[in-house]
Amino acid sequence: MRIWNREMECMPREKMEALQLQKLKRIVEWVYERSPLYRKKFTDVGFHPGDLKSLADLNKLPFTTKDDFRNNYPYSMFCVPMEQVIRLHASSGTTGKLTVVGYTKNDMEVWTELVARIITMTGVDSSDIVQIAFGYGLFTGAHGLQYGMERVGATVIPISSGNSERQIMIMKDFGTTALVSTPTYALHLGETARKIGIDPKKDLHVKVGLFGGEAFSEEYRKEIEDMWGMLATDNYGLSECGGPGFSGECELIRGQHIAEDHYITEIINPETLEPAEPGEKGEVVITTLSREAVPVIRYRTKDISSIDYSPCECGRTTARLGKISGRTDDMMVIRGVNVFPSQIESVLVNVKGLAPHYQIIRYKKGFLEDLEIRVEISEEIFTDRYAQLEAIEEQLKQQLYKALSINPRVKLVEPHSIERSAGKAKRVIDLRDQK
Ligand code: DLL
């Protein structure tokens, strides 16, 4: 198995921690000197860069949040003059303003290097023809993957998202061997292929998928792998920390290797803000060590996961991030029970006769919040075994209750009736304010 940067990716832990401390000291000084926002934040908690003696001192530093980006829109989080910024990207916030990030020349170089690493982890190399079906634009996904692919020497087809039948035609004619998209779009593309009489597994030659940008359950992975006959890898990152390249899965699929020479990752209890126990789940908090234009110190991602520090059999020693199992802010509280959309997805994809396309509707009955799960039945059931619908619905209800301890309303809908998305799927529809 090839490793893009053996020196960094296979570094002994002690050496890595020494490197992280050295880089952390530099970046803390960098933001203190250049950003009135960070200087104020540090002063408010009585911290001075000189107080940083060990990695453990990181927890003396204040957190950064998406609100900081919102309140300092568009450029007040920047630590370099605009003359040094050569690229802007942005992501949509859950509410209100965009989250804007900038890149210096050096930031672009580091980004390219880190994406080349996650690409190499999946086995993709210069012999591959890669279809990038993330939307091009302000989203970091498409551009980041393109730089990394070109760096490893792969052939890039920058097709962007949408126009699915054309995507399939190109895949067939150009001999695409790797697909880059959201997991939802990969499923949709596979479905589209089947609709026009092409079996993605037999008639196409896509052997690897680099997926990311949204939650990706194990069951969803299996669904995609069976459909395409490919290795489907999960890759995580967020605009505020530079986009894709933060972490990715190697061919062994043992969690996502984190680029620890460029990021320090903490897992905290989102309520107490104390560090989680090793291996325990909590909120992922990221400090960027190399970013010049918009570094972030202890950025609260609101994503929930855990970290495994044991070395991987692939030879890399970098810590591995577990699956993102939800967000602190997509957690729904239904009659006192905490429910994550990812839990619902796990149930749906395990009930035979259902297709992996669904929506979760949050609504109110009187004062009480409830859920309705709309899920498509599979094509096969719809045409051949319509009579089984009642039994499938019953089974789904039972499984949902078993997994969630609540009884959401269930509605089976016709194949293809739920709107498909070329980017990130909108799974949860909030109708709580509607009568
Ligand atoms: O989604 C960056 C990216 C692009 C990562 C392409 C990987 C591949 P944003 O648009 O800022 O950046 O969205 C970041 O998306 O906080 C997570 O909630 C979610 N997310 C991203 N990747 C994953 C993943 C890009 N693999 C937000 N699993 C993050 C689960 C993910 N959630």
Side-chain angles (χ1 to χ4, degrees), residues 134 139-140 213-215 234-239 303 324 327 424:
F134 275 138
F139 180 53
T140 53
E214 65 179 5
D234 188 7
N235 300 277
Y236 171 78
L238 58 163
S239 318
D303 292 315
I324 304 291
R327 282 179 60 84
K424 302 187 189 202

Side-chain angles (χ1 to χ4, degrees), residues 155-349:
T155 310
V156 170
I157 309 173
I159 191 162
S160 198
S161 58
N163 209 340
S164 304
E165 286 195 18
R166 185 161 163 267
Q167 298 253 4
I168 300 300
M169 181 194 83
I170 286 188
M171 226 172 230
K172 193 156 180 276
D173 295 350
F174 292 13
T176 302
T177 58
L179 172 65
V180 172
S181 70
T182 57
T184 318
Y185 195 51
L187 266 182
H188 176 58
L189 277 179
E191 255 189 350
T192 307
R194 284 178 177 167
K195 231 170 36 198
I196 55 174
I198 291 174
D199 180 346
K201 202 171 185 165
K202 293 204 192 101
D203 306 327
L204 301 172
H205 303 98
V206 187
K207 60 180 180 14
V208 186
L210 276 101
F211 303 119
E214 65 179 5
F216 185 28
S217 66
E218 281 311 321
E219 292 80 3
Y220 221 85
R221 186 206 306 273
K222 194 169 175 313
E223 199 78 42
I224 293 177
E225 289 190 331
D226 289 349
M227 173 183 254
W228 289 87
M230 64 153 66
L231 169 76
T233 63
D234 188 7
N235 300 277
Y236 171 78
L238 58 163
S239 318
E240 297 89 315
C241 300
F246 171 82
S247 65
E249 284 176 325
C250 68
E251 288 167 84
L252 302 178
I253 311 286
R254 304 271 156 80
Q256 298 186 34
H257 292 278
I258 301 172
E260 287 190 279
D261 48 331
H262 296 279
Y263 299 99
I264 296 182
T265 313
E266 302 168 79
I267 303 288
I268 63 162
N269 177 320
E271 254 116 60
T272 63
L273 308 183
E274 291 299 319
E277 296 296 323
E280 197 192 348
K281 276 190 184 178
E283 181 176 344
V284 179
V285 173
I286 300 173
T287 299
T288 61
L289 296 175
S290 314
R291 289 176 56 69
E292 296 173 337
V294 192
V296 286
I297 305 291
R298 303 194 85 200
Y299 185 72
R300 291 190 61 181
T301 64
K302 299 200 172 174
D303 292 315
I304 297 171
S305 189
S306 57
I307 294 187
D308 183 351
Y309 285 95
S310 64
C312 179
E313 281 166 51
C314 72
R316 292 177 183 84
T317 50
T318 41
R320 284 165 293 144
L321 185 73
K323 274 237 161 296
I324 304 291
S325 60
R327 282 179 60 84
T328 54
D329 59 357
D330 76 0
M331 188 178 80
M332 300 173 281
V333 184
I334 312 294
R335 311 197 175 185
V337 180
N338 295 350
V339 181
F340 286 101
S342 53
Q343 294 173 289
I344 296 176
E345 185 186 295
S346 298
V347 171
L348 298 181
V349 293

Side-chain angles (χ1 to χ4, degrees), residues 96-163:
K97 301 231 167 71
L98 290 172
T99 303
V100 183
V101 286
Y103 297 70
T104 62
K105 262 191 190 147
N106 193 51
D107 291 338
M108 295 297 285
E109 176 53 34
V110 172
W111 191 18
T112 303
E113 149 81 16
L114 297 191
V115 179
R117 289 188 196 174
I118 61 164
I119 289 168
T120 307
M121 283 178 207
T122 69
V124 167
D125 61 21
S126 58
S127 64
D128 281 289
I129 299 177
V130 186
Q131 196 149 327
I132 299 188
F134 275 138
Y136 277 77
L138 288 178
F139 180 53
T140 53
H143 298 273
L145 265 296
Q146 172 156 348
Y147 303 133
M149 287 294 177
E150 288 175 354
R151 178 62 56 90
V152 305
T155 310
V156 170
I157 309 173
I159 191 162
S160 198
S161 58
N163 209 340

